[in-house]
Amino acid sequence: MLFVDFLRGRRRLRVSVCKPPCSFWFLLLFGIGGLVLFIHLQDLSDMVLQQAPGVKFRGTTQSRQEQCSQFSEVVGSISARINQHSEESDVDPISPMQLPDSQWKRQAATPGSREHDPGSQRVTKRHRKLLKTSPVLRPPTNSSQLSSRRLSDVQESRRRIVREVCGKYRSNISRTITPHLVSRIYVEDRHKVLYCEVPKAGCSNWKRVLMVLAGVANSTQEINHVAVHYDNHLKRLDSFDRQGINKRLETYTKVLFVREPMERLVSAFRDKFESPNSYYHPVFGKPIISKYRVNASQTALKTGSGVTFREFIHYLLDVHRPVGMDIHWEAADQLCSPCHLHYDFIGKVETLEEDANFLLRKIGAPEDLTYPSFKDGNPKAARTSTQITQHYFSQLNVSERQRAYDFYYMDYLMFNYSKPYKDLY
């Protein structure tokens, strides 16, 4: 009995002696691990996982003494690696983003595997099996690839919305392509581009880009306003025969750029009626003033100058207009027939630079060609913004705003623009 008690006492003594070192090693391990993680995250993950195959954390099959011993070995190994890394202070830590593809595959952990370095001498048969069957972790893509993917997703979403709206509201339209439907489309054969012109949505600068692509000019900087609009350097799609039209519609990249409808409308009004204009004042201004202004002066009736925004809206919404419609405020849906033509690329003025340059890279344009930022019309006037648009529409009552929204309703739906005012339905 004394001998048995003596043995039990030694066992209790051994356990009690072992417990403090275990707690100490646990705390020391976590402390060192946290410090190394903060300083050299990648080195620590590599070091710990290289040691992992030799350590088994199974309390049911190992005694506390064995666990303490193995923890001591791990901590000793980590400390040695830390000292070694400190001595190699002339080498800066490299993040995974900076590593070449081959180094990334060696550095990064394979999902489902504890082994970081496939070339390590301590790779077991089990780890080789895991490395063969586990998916390979690829290096992260660069920002340009991510941006291209994001913009491609945006384009797919825009095309899908147009298809859905056309399917809901225009399912019974004729599928016949007439010359009238393609009369606003410009052709650039060298890069196989069809561009539908929507005035006040960057069309002047897009014509400049098309002229450079076609070889008419070397740079957009040298193309003035007259050359853009009146020199007829670009062909329209309706100038070709039926076979030529259909072939280009099937094989070319069809491009459409749109703008928030109310903002586009205000931009057109400011450009044509608030600035001197030898065409729009007499042709549109005179009949508008004559019909919608009470007690108009003889000067106003004679010149057509000074049309107010409210008078312009009355003209726009009148089913019996005193003068016809104009492309500068015609709905994009009517100008470009997206339910007939199924555009490949739908850009927006709100994201113009990003969309335009993405398109230029897609069609293989020269690297030095970018979308220009010229302002035609009145270059001194501020560009029409959301704030300026709200100022003009504040001159209208609720009914007039609602009717203007209804006029561009299909543009709002097709191109996914939000209602500009909360009181609209």
Side-chain angles (χ1 to χ4, degrees):
M1 292 295 292
L2 292 174
F3 180 75
V4 172
D5 293 339
F6 175 75
L7 291 178
R8 290 176 179 173
R10 290 191 62 182
R11 289 178 181 175
R12 284 194 296 270
L13 179 60
R14 181 180 301 172
V15 172
S16 63
V17 170
C18 182
K19 281 185 178 179
C22 277
S23 302
F24 172 77
W25 288 119
F26 270 108
L27 293 174
L28 180 60
L29 177 62
F30 288 128
I32 294 175
L35 178 61
V36 177
L37 180 64
F38 180 75
I39 301 174
H40 306 292
L41 181 60
Q42 297 303 317
D43 276 0
L44 177 59
S45 61
D46 183 47
M47 291 185 289
V48 172
L49 290 179
Q50 284 184 3
Q51 296 293 335
V55 182
K56 300 178 181 179
F57 298 99
R58 297 178 181 175
T60 58
T61 58
Q62 286 185 307
S63 67
R64 291 180 179 271
Q65 187 172 8
E66 291 172 339
Q67 292 179 9
C68 294
S69 175
Q70 290 185 351
F71 272 115
S72 301
E73 294 174 4
V74 173
V75 173
S77 175
I78 293 175
S79 301
R81 294 294 295 273
I82 293 172
N83 293 334
Q84 179 182 356
H85 189 79
S86 300
E87 293 172 0
E88 299 172 353
S89 58
D90 58 325
V91 180
D92 294 330
I94 303 176
S95 66
M97 290 291 290
Q98 297 171 310
L99 289 173
D101 185 64
S102 59
Q103 294 182 358
W104 167 265
K105 292 178 181 177
R106 294 184 57 196
Q107 184 77 8
T110 305
S113 173
R114 290 183 179 180
E115 192 68 38
H116 267 237
D117 187 0
S120 173
Q121 297 178 356
R122 304 189 62 178
V123 176
T124 64
K125 292 182 178 180
R126 176 173 176 273
H127 293 105
R128 288 193 184 96
K129 184 177 180 180
L130 285 173
L131 288 171
K132 290 179 180 179
T133 58
S134 300
V136 178
L137 183 64
R138 300 297 181 187
T141 54
N142 58 39
S143 59
S144 63
Q145 290 174 318
L146 292 175
S147 177
S148 178
R149 187 180 306 163
R150 176 181 62 81
L151 292 174
S152 296
D153 291 342
V154 168
Q155 284 300 311
E156 175 56 36
S157 175
R158 291 175 182 174
R159 291 192 297 267
R160 175 181 53 80
I161 292 172
V162 171
R163 289 195 304 268
E164 290 174 354
V165 173
C166 291
K168 183 176 181 180
Y169 294 94
R170 301 285 175 82
S171 59
N172 59 346
I173 61 174
S174 172
R175 300 299 175 183
T176 303
I177 304 299
T178 64
H180 172 72
L181 291 176
V182 298
S183 61
R184 306 308 312 173
I185 295 180
Y186 288 91
V187 179
E188 201 287 287
D189 284 318
R190 292 174 64 179
H191 294 81
K192 297 186 176 182
V193 175
L194 300 178
Y195 166 72
C196 185
E197 174 191 33
V198 178
K200 312 312 297 181
C203 70
S204 296
N205 283 331
W206 268 118
K207 290 178 185 177
R208 289 184 172 96
V209 170
L210 293 177
M211 290 169 68
V212 173
L213 290 175
V216 176
N218 295 321
S219 170
T220 57
Q221 304 285 336
E222 62 189 58
I223 307 173
N224 59 33
H225 180 81
V226 173
V228 168
H229 293 283
Y230 304 110
D231 286 355
N232 297 321
H233 291 292
L234 299 172
K235 291 183 178 180
R236 294 181 187 263
L237 188 55
D238 62 351
S239 66
F240 296 87
D241 59 21
R242 184 172 297 276
Q243 182 180 0
I245 292 174
N246 291 333
K247 178 182 178 182
R248 286 169 174 80
L249 286 174
E250 292 172 359
T251 60
Y252 284 23
T253 301
K254 298 180 288 295
V255 178
L256 168 64
F257 269 77
V258 296
R259 186 176 185 177
E260 203 283 331
M262 300 299 191
E263 188 173 300
R264 176 174 165 247
L265 179 64
V266 171
S267 177
F269 171 77
R270 296 176 68 209
D271 182 31
K272 305 307 179 186
F273 295 103
E274 291 188 343
S275 302
N277 193 296
S278 60
Y279 174 77
Y280 282 90
H281 288 194
V283 174
F284 285 86
K286 289 167 63 174
I288 288 175
I289 292 174
S290 177
K291 183 169 183 178
Y292 304 108
R293 182 177 299 182
V294 179
N295 298 325
S297 68
Q298 290 300 314
T299 302
L301 292 172
K302 184 178 179 179
T303 63
S305 300
V307 173
T308 67
F309 184 66
R310 193 166 195 173
E311 292 168 344
F312 174 66
I313 292 297
H314 287 170
Y315 144 77
L316 179 71
L317 303 177
D318 193 347
V319 294
H320 303 290
R321 299 184 188 96
V323 62
M325 182 55 64
D326 185 81
I327 62 171
H328 289 85
W329 42 83
E330 180 112 50
D333 166 49
Q334 296 297 317
L335 290 171
C336 296
S337 305
C339 292
H340 287 88
L341 302 182
H342 309 299
Y343 287 89
D344 304 296
F345 192 96
I346 302 173
K348 292 188 175 184
V349 169
E350 292 75 21
T351 53
L352 181 56
E353 182 177 359
E354 184 178 53
D355 288 348
N357 291 327
F358 177 59
L359 172 63
L360 290 174
R361 303 291 82 79
K362 282 289 186 181
I363 64 174
E367 288 294 329
D368 59 347
L369 178 60
T370 58
Y371 184 82
S373 58
F374 302 128
K375 185 178 184 300
D376 284 331
N378 186 359
K380 295 182 179 179
R383 292 183 183 273
T384 303
S385 62
T386 301
Q387 292 74 21
I388 291 176
T389 301
Q390 290 176 347
H391 168 70
Y392 279 82
F393 271 86
S394 67
Q395 304 170 27
L396 309 181
N397 59 38
V398 175
S399 175
E400 290 165 341
R401 287 200 299 268
Q402 180 66 54
R403 292 175 63 200
Y405 173 73
D406 293 342
F407 185 85
Y408 293 105
Y409 182 65
M410 291 303 295
D411 279 9
Y412 275 98
L413 288 183
M414 283 188 180
F415 308 119
N416 199 29
Y417 284 109
S418 302
K419 291 182 180 180
Y421 300 98
K422 295 181 180 179
D423 55 6
L424 300 177
Y425 57 86

